[in-house]
Amino acid sequence: MQRPGPFRWVLYAFGAGLPAGMRRWVLHDVTTGTWLLRHVVRAVVQIVPAAVLLAVFLPGNATLRISAITMGAVIGLLYSTVFVEAATEHRAIKAGYPEGYATRIRSRRSRLRRALRRLRSGSVSAR
């Protein structure tokens, strides 16, 4: 599975598509066990440049600027996590997967993990 380099990943974090050769990596990115954390990291990467520019060029008291930037970042992260499923689905669609495919993969993996946990705990007999 081919992964994007750092520069291409930053472009991907900002919404750019990746070449067809990285299609499997995109699916992995939006369906792996850490998909939610990966989404938050991409959102932070989007917020940081704007926050730095505001911190440098916004006039006024430094404490007030930092407070305003922090609250804006928190609201941005909140909105980002509210729409996380739609955003990850959109990334999968851009990579060429049908609508709803990433959600189905995550659901299937989640059911499998729950079943494995039940088997390991002994609450379900293995036949």
Side-chain angles (χ1 to χ4, degrees):
M1 174 170 37
Q2 185 181 4
R3 299 175 46 109
F7 179 72
R8 188 164 273 174
W9 183 87
V10 169
L11 292 177
Y12 169 76
F14 277 93
L18 293 175
M22 295 181 189
R23 182 175 189 254
R24 282 184 46 215
W25 181 85
V26 172
L27 184 63
H28 169 77
D29 184 51
V30 298
T31 61
T32 190
T34 57
W35 70 276
L36 187 56
L37 176 63
R38 289 168 176 255
H39 176 78
V40 170
V41 168
R42 286 191 302 268
V44 168
V45 166
Q46 292 175 8
I47 291 170
V48 166
V52 168
L53 287 174
L54 286 171
V56 170
F57 294 111
L58 198 63
N61 180 336
T63 305
L64 181 61
R65 280 185 298 174
I66 299 303
S67 298
I69 292 166
T70 301
M71 292 310 297
V74 167
I75 291 170
L77 286 172
L78 175 67
Y79 273 101
S80 177
T81 54
V82 166
F83 296 107
V84 65
E85 296 240 354
T88 55
E89 257 329 300
H90 182 69
R91 286 183 186 280
I93 290 168
K94 282 173 69 174
Y97 292 98
E99 185 173 349
Y101 190 70
T103 301
R104 285 194 305 271
I105 296 286
R106 285 192 303 265
S107 294
R108 199 174 306 148
R109 287 181 181 170
S110 178
R111 285 192 308 270
L112 180 60
R113 278 193 298 272
R114 282 193 305 269
L116 286 172
R117 256 183 289 176
R118 282 194 308 265
L119 275 174
R120 287 183 187 132
S121 70
S123 59
V124 174
S125 63
R127 294 182 183 180

